[in-house]
Amino acid sequence: MSKSRLRKALHVGRPNIPNKEKILSKLSEVLDNKWLTNNGPLVQELEHKIQQYLGIKHCICVCNATIGLEILQRALDLKGEVIIPSFTFIATANSLRWQKIRPVFCDIQSDSHLIDPDRIEELITEKTSAILAVPIWGQPCDYPALEKIAKKYSLKLIFDSAHAFGCKAGEKLIGGFGDAEVFSFHATKVFSTGEGGAITTNSDELAKKLRFMRNFGFDGFDKTVCLGTNAKMSEFAAAYGLSALEELQSVIDHNAEIYKGYIKQFSQFDEFNILRYPQQNYSNHQYAVAEVPADFRDNLVHHFHENDILVRRYFHPGCHRLEPYKSDPSYNKARLPNTEKVASKILVFPTGYQMNNEGMNRVFDAYTSFVKKK
Ligand code: T4K
């Protein structure tokens, strides 16, 4: 696709750029401070604001969610096997594998696409050290059920909440569940720092350890206290993030309108099922997710792409069907019927500021022309 066509296309994950003047003034603050990274004042300000927003004790900003997941696993001393859904972005599984921990794939509930707590116990062995669940599409997991299993088997419970910044489980914002949660602030996310992420926890001890680990293990100038790495967020990323945080609610409100538009437009087609969110929860509506019959899903994706609407098949075909797990014979026995069924039907639509009435009509017109062709 040519550059100009790509620019005009509708993307899943097009960044919602905050007010340019505000970003530039924050960036100029960074330059004036002559402090570019290493737990600078803007990173600290962003962490403080996120703590207040989520109502949690600690927010540790990091360079991306994948590294965030890795240092969290290290800090909690996870080993052996960790149970995760296969229906997630590959980073969830790879963060474990990179630590030489075996991801054990659990099936999902076919309606919510969330890890199925009823399928977890059968996967627990003496090697299991944790459950790593994913509030997929920003939907809350079944926290009471997961907490009960974790407690029963003395497992750690952590969340890859990459999709869930600004989402609520009932009245409670996601961020304080389990031992810790990890958010992604990647360019494509509802709240972004370009590249970035954060680990949130209510544990003082864990937060302290994570802060050391993020900075090579340093406690002071020349003393290290643990095995650390470089997981720091830069001041430039924090400057962008502080501007983005001010606009988060308006992005969420905009997405909620776009979501309503998708429901309205597509409800007339029986074969089209837009994922609904239970009334008691609150979503950032970053992902507008539809299920369509598997027998025409891929042709439909092709048709949308021809019309410059770059819908996505997240998270097809499931991590267990992607490398390095696909060709690992020890994963041959994974039985994940719901994951495979859901992965064959999913379509994710563009959301965010790029979408307006004209954009919605483009999507709808493309679908009606597909129906006529069918
Ligand atoms: N866990 C979960 C459950 C996740 O979903 C993710 C990331 C992670 C962990 C890891 O988080 P980080 O370590 O990244 O913080 C995208 C994102 O790159 C990825 O962050 C995200 N999940 C995943 C769901 O989606 P791709 O490979 O689909 O990205 P890409 O490059 O195709 O971009 C998506 C669309 O956005 C394209 O059509 C182009 C457009 N785009 C992208 C960028 C970067 C723009 O218009 N501008 C941009 O700056 O993975």
Side-chain angles (χ1 to χ4, degrees), residues 11-15 65-66 89 160 162-163 184 186 188-189 312 314:
H11 299 258
V12 174
R14 193 67 148 173
T66 308
F89 192 56
D160 174 350
H163 300 177
S184 169
H186 182 256
T188 55
K189 296 292 185 282
R312 297 297 291 259
Y314 294 141

Side-chain angles (χ1 to χ4, degrees), residues 5 40 48 51 73 91 117 119 164 186 209 255 261 284 323 337 353:
R5 213 175 136 193
H48 182 69
Q51 281 160 201
Q73 291 155 23
R119 304 298 306 274
H186 182 256
K209 203 166 173 189
N255 278 349
N284 59 28
E323 295 298 354
Y353 285 155

Side-chain angles (χ1 to χ4, degrees), residues 94-344:
N94 286 355
S95 65
L96 292 161
R97 180 90 168 203
W98 204 257
Q99 306 300 316
K100 304 217 182 310
I101 298 169
R102 178 180 170 80
V104 173
F105 296 118
C106 181
D107 210 0
I108 52 169
Q109 295 165 330
S110 58
D111 50 354
S112 69
H113 309 169
L114 291 159
I115 193 166
D116 186 348
D118 291 342
R119 304 298 306 274
I120 291 179
E121 282 190 83
E122 66 203 55
L123 300 172
I124 295 174
T125 70
E126 71 282 359
K127 291 186 191 150
T128 311
S129 58
I131 300 166
L132 166 47
V134 182
I136 200 98
W137 318 131
Q139 302 172 100
C141 298
D142 185 344
Y143 298 108
L146 295 174
E147 278 157 11
K148 200 169 156 194
I149 300 169
K151 196 166 170 208
K152 182 171 166 191
Y153 294 90
S154 303
L155 302 176
K156 298 288 182 202
L157 176 62
I158 57 176
F159 295 93
D160 174 350
S161 302
H163 300 177
F165 197 73
C167 298
K168 284 183 183 167
E171 287 302 304
K172 205 170 160 193
L173 272 157
I174 290 176
F177 291 103
D179 292 284
E181 305 201 38
V182 179
F183 292 102
S184 169
F185 301 156
H186 182 256
T188 55
K189 296 292 185 282
V190 70
F191 167 70
S192 170
T193 57
E195 284 280 2
I199 309 166
T200 56
T201 179
N202 286 313
S203 159
D204 298 339
E205 197 191 336
L206 180 60
K208 196 171 168 196
K209 203 166 173 189
L210 287 165
R211 289 184 185 284
F212 291 140
M213 285 189 157
R214 168 178 79 168
N215 184 30
F216 310 104
F218 273 113
D219 178 11
F221 277 135
D222 45 17
K223 185 179 132 206
T224 56
V225 290
C226 60
L227 176 67
T229 184
N230 184 353
K232 289 168 285 162
M233 176 182 275
S234 81
E235 288 287 277
F236 297 111
Y240 186 98
L242 284 164
S243 315
L245 198 58
E246 284 182 26
E247 292 186 28
L248 174 64
Q249 194 54 49
S250 72
V251 177
I252 293 178
D253 293 345
H254 182 85
N255 278 349
E257 287 306 308
I258 297 302
Y259 172 73
K260 275 190 222 153
Y262 280 125
I263 298 257
K264 197 168 152 211
Q265 283 192 334
F266 286 111
S267 55
Q268 60 188 291
F269 299 103
D270 288 342
E271 70 279 18
F272 228 97
N273 176 27
I274 302 275
L275 193 76
R276 306 279 177 142
Y277 296 86
Q279 282 285 304
Q280 73 272 20
N281 297 322
Y282 174 85
S283 175
N284 59 28
H285 292 296
Q286 177 182 327
Y287 294 101
V289 182
E291 286 181 356
V292 296
D295 56 4
F296 71 69
R297 194 271 309 264
D298 289 352
N299 286 342
L300 179 56
V301 169
H302 183 69
H303 180 80
F304 273 125
H305 284 201
E306 278 185 332
N307 285 277
D308 297 341
I309 299 158
L310 306 181
V311 296
R312 297 297 291 259
R313 300 188 299 174
Y314 294 141
F315 292 99
H316 177 90
C319 293
H320 67 300
R321 294 273 179 257
L322 289 171
E323 295 298 354
Y325 313 101
K326 186 179 157 193
S327 59
D328 178 338
S330 68
Y331 284 98
N332 284 353
K333 283 199 203 117
R335 292 285 166 266
L336 305 163
N338 288 344
T339 301
E340 289 179 12
K341 197 170 65 192
V342 168
S344 68

